[in-house]
């Protein structure tokens, strides 16, 4: 399948990996929008949040409840705070059609987002 994030998950193309386990990989965004900008993805190809099945809840819960708080600690965002974003579909600003969770931190965020 011609999916850039599947290729990163299989280490067919390089990325700076911040975390990895059987179901999940996290790597630094190529075009960082904050001092810390990490993408956390299920290794399984899921197109978007809108394309999830109930069984995908396990990996998504793992990402939200375990991986992201751990990464936030590792990169000193736990106290200062951070933002977690899942762009979904065209108007949601999703450009890569493999579900990914952005972890952004290291600066003050604006609201509403653009
Ligand atoms: P989206 O706009 O779909 O929510 O986010 C896609 C993100 O993937 C963007 O922030 C973009 O910079 C990042 N990205 C796209 N291609 C690559 C790549 O090949 N490597 C890495 N590390 N990040 C990528
Ligand atoms: Zn994929």
């Amino acid at each position: 399948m011609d999916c850039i994030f599947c290729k990163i998950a299989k280490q067919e193309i390089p990325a700076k990996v911040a975390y990895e386990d059987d179901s999940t990989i996290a790597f630094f965004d190529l075009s960082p929008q904050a001092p810390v900008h990490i993408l956390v993805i299920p290794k399984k190809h899921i197109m978007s949040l809108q394309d999830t099945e109930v069984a995908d809840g396990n990996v998504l819960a793992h990402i939200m409840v375990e991986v992201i708080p751990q990464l936030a600690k590792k990169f000193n965002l736990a106290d200062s705070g951070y933002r977690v974003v899942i762009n979904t579909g065209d108007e949601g600003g999703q450009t890569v059609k493999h579900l990914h969770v952005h972890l952004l931190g290291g600066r003050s965020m604006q609201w509403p987002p653009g």
Side-chain angles (χ1 to χ4, degrees):
M1 190 188 306
D2 198 26
C3 169
I4 195 151
F5 285 0
C6 282
K7 286 180 181 161
I8 287 175
K10 292 182 207 151
Q11 296 182 10
E12 289 172 7
I13 62 170
K16 195 178 163 202
V17 174
Y19 174 86
E20 183 170 15
D21 63 31
D22 285 350
S23 66
T24 304
I25 187 166
F27 50 93
F28 286 87
D29 198 293
L30 208 55
S31 174
Q33 301 302 311
V36 178
H37 187 175
I38 295 170
L39 302 172
V40 189
I41 69 168
K43 287 184 173 176
K44 175 188 172 190
H45 183 80
I46 303 167
M47 276 194 25
S48 80
L49 192 62
Q50 201 57 34
D51 296 289
T52 48
E53 297 168 358
V54 171
D56 299 325
N58 291 327
V59 67
L60 288 180
H62 172 58
I63 287 171
M64 291 298 188
V65 172
E66 296 178 289
V67 177
I68 287 178
Q70 263 180 48
L71 285 169
K73 274 189 200 152
K74 183 171 173 183
F75 292 99
N76 292 316
L77 305 175
D79 293 335
S80 52
Y82 54 90
R83 182 167 290 173
V84 170
V85 175
I86 304 178
N87 294 328
T88 304
D90 293 338
E91 290 200 359
Q94 183 179 6
T95 59
V96 177
K97 307 300 188 201
H98 180 132
L99 176 58
H100 51 280
V101 183
H102 294 259
L103 168 61
L104 297 138
R107 66 169 170 83
S108 284
M109 300 294 159
Q110 307 297 311
W111 193 263

